[in-house]
Amino acid sequence: MISLSGIKPTSTPHVGNHLGMILPAIALQDSYDCRYFIADYHAMTTVHDAARMREYSHGIAAYFLAFGLDPNKCIFYRQSDLPQVTELAWILSCMTNMGLLERAHAWKAAKDRGTAGEECHGLFAYPVLMAADILIHDSDIVPVGKDQVQHVEMTRDMAERFNYAFGEVFHLPEAKFNETLHTIPGLDGRKMSKSYGNTINLMYPVKTLKKQIMSIVTDSTPIDQPKDYENCNVYKLYKLFASPEQIAQMEENYRTPGFGYGHAKMALFNLLVEMTEKPRQIYEDYMNHPDTLEDVLRSGAQRASVKMNEVLNRARVAVGYKSIL
Ligand code: TRP
C-alpha cells in the first residue's frame, strides 16, 4: 500500500503542520510504501525568491529527517527534481472542469476577498498539480491535515473523469486525516496558521521559540485565583505534547491559587525544548550541510522516478501519445 504526501516549503513547519501532517505521515513508514516530497512547484504560487525557495526546501527536508523520517525506508524527494508531474498536470488539466476548480476553498477565499483577478493561474490550477502528484504514484492513502481533504476529493473526481474517458488508468486515493485531532490553537487562540501570524515553530532558535510561547494570549484571572484550564490556550497546547501524568499535574496546578499563566508558559516551553533537543541537533546539522541533504533528495528522486515514469506512460498511451519514458 502506498502512502503519499507533500508539504509546501513556504516557511519552516509550525506546530499545526507538525501534528496535522508531519508526524502522522512519518508514523506510517514501517507499514506503508511511503513517498513524501517537498512541494516546491506548489510553493511557486507565492515564493518568488530563489534563495528563499532553496532555504525553505532544505528546511522542510531537514525537519522531516530530524523527526525520524528514514530515507532508506521512504522515498523522500523534492517535487521540482522531477518534471513528470507537470506533464501529467497538463493532461489532467484538460480533463478538469473550471467549475470543479472554482469550488476549491483557496480559490473561493480569494474570490470572497475580491482578489481573484490578481491571483496567479497557479493558484487556480493548484488542485490539478496536486492531483498529478497523488495519481502519478498510484497512491492508496494521502495523510494530510484537514484543510487538504478537499483536494484529495477533487483528485478522485479528476481520476474518475479520466478513467471514464480512457479506461482504468488511475488508482483512486483516499485522504487519511486524524479525526480526533481538533483544530490546533495558535498564539491568539484562532486556528494556527501562517496567514494569521500566530504560529509556534519548534525548530526556530530556542530564544525565538520562547518569545512565541510567552506571547500566547491568556485571560486576566489574577494569580491568586484558580484558573479554567479547559479554555486556556497554553493548556490546550501543553495537552497536545505532554504525557497523561504531566497533564493531570498541570490541571492540578491550574486549580491551585498562586500558579500563574507565566508558570504554565514556562512549563510548556521547557517541555517543547526538552522534547526537541535531539531533533534540533539533527536539524541544525543538516542545515549546516546542505550537500548531505542534496544527496538524500537526489537518491529519493531517482527512486521516485521509476513509478512516475510507469504511470505517466500509462496515461500518455491511454490518450494517444507515444510511450517515451
Ligand atoms: N497542498 C499541500 C499543502 O499545502 C501540499 C501538497 C502538494 C500535497 N501536493 C500534495 C499534499 C499531494 C498531499 C499530496 O500542504
Side-chain angles (χ1 to χ4, degrees):
M1 294 276 273
I2 295 176
S3 167
L4 172 125
S5 196
I7 184 164
K8 229 174 12 173
T10 46
S11 62
T12 46
H14 59 69
V15 163
N17 310 132
H18 182 86
L19 297 172
M21 183 279 192
I22 298 174
L23 290 191
I26 295 175
L28 298 173
Q29 67 182 347
D30 291 317
S31 41
Y32 282 83
D33 172 353
C34 293
R35 288 134 195 265
Y36 298 139
F37 64 94
I38 302 156
D40 59 344
Y41 280 145
H42 282 99
M44 187 71 204
T45 56
T46 53
V47 179
H48 297 160
D49 175 318
R52 270 174 58 214
M53 183 70 91
R54 271 191 292 271
E55 188 180 325
Y56 289 152
S57 295
H58 282 164
I60 300 274
Y63 198 99
F64 270 76
L65 296 165
F67 283 94
L69 179 124
D70 180 345
N72 297 314
K73 282 186 191 154
C74 305
I75 295 182
F76 186 49
Y77 63 101
R78 180 172 43 203
Q79 190 184 28
S80 67
D81 286 345
L82 297 162
Q84 288 89 328
V85 81
T86 57
E87 182 180 343
L88 183 58
W90 176 255
I91 294 176
L92 290 173
S93 226
C94 298
M95 298 300 294
T96 306
N97 291 343
M98 301 279 282
L100 177 72
L101 297 177
E102 274 168 1
R103 287 195 291 278
H105 296 319
W107 182 254
K108 273 192 3 207
K111 269 196 157 162
D112 292 348
R113 283 195 304 270
T115 60
E118 291 91 63
E119 299 293 347
C120 63
H121 171 252
L123 183 83
F124 187 68
Y126 190 106
V128 183
L129 180 59
M130 184 156 158
D133 288 326
I134 297 171
L135 297 175
I136 206 162
H137 281 283
D138 283 336
S139 309
D140 294 292
I141 60 162
V142 186
V144 279
K146 252 194 199 142
D147 61 323
Q148 296 297 315
V149 172
Q150 186 198 27
H151 288 145
V152 182
E153 300 296 329
M154 293 170 84
T155 301
R156 291 174 63 92
D157 289 343
M158 291 177 218
E160 277 180 325
R161 164 109 191 255
F162 186 99
N163 286 353
Y164 184 72
F166 296 108
E168 290 296 307
V169 171
F170 295 124
H171 181 73
L172 296 197
E174 244 163 66
K176 182 177 167 66
F177 70 100
N178 185 346
E179 303 201 37
T180 57
L181 185 71
H182 296 294
T183 303
I184 295 160
L187 301 176
D188 55 2
R190 289 187 293 171
K191 172 184 169 355
M192 188 179 293
S193 161
K194 185 184 171 238
S195 50
Y196 291 154
N198 64 357
T199 63
I200 296 175
N201 305 68
L202 296 177
M203 288 299 108
Y204 272 179
V206 172
K207 249 173 103 179
T208 317
L209 178 62
K210 187 167 183 180
K211 258 202 202 137
Q212 288 185 323
I213 306 254
M214 290 303 159
S215 69
I216 298 174
V217 175
T218 52
D219 67 21
S220 51
T221 314
I223 190 149
D224 58 0
Q225 280 177 33
K227 292 174 186 60
D228 173 17
Y229 54 79
E230 293 289 359
N231 290 311
C232 176
N233 293 325
V234 184
Y235 170 82
K236 284 185 201 162
L237 286 160
Y238 187 80
K239 202 174 166 186
L240 292 168
F241 294 97
S243 68
E245 296 77 42
Q246 286 172 317
I247 296 170
Q249 177 64 53
M250 187 54 80
E251 292 175 0
E252 184 57 34
N253 291 345
Y254 270 75
R255 285 191 286 265
T256 311
F259 181 83
Y261 290 123
H263 300 123
K265 289 177 183 179
M266 273 316 286
L268 174 61
F269 169 69
N270 288 332
L271 178 70
L272 294 181
V273 169
E274 204 178 297
M275 205 189 72
T276 55
E277 196 186 323
K278 206 165 147 228
R280 180 180 299 281
Q281 273 171 15
I282 303 173
Y283 178 84
E284 282 170 4
D285 200 30
Y286 275 119
M287 290 308 271
N288 291 329
H289 298 93
D291 291 352
T292 319
L293 277 178
E294 289 295 337
D295 287 344
V296 170
L297 295 174
R298 192 173 313 116
S299 144
Q302 270 164 5
R303 288 183 291 141
S305 67
V306 177
K307 182 72 166 182
M308 291 166 105
N309 290 346
E310 176 201 318
V311 178
L312 181 56
N313 263 337
R314 224 157 64 204
R316 287 181 60 95
V317 171
V319 304
Y321 300 151
K322 270 172 50 183
S323 165
I324 53 164
L325 296 161

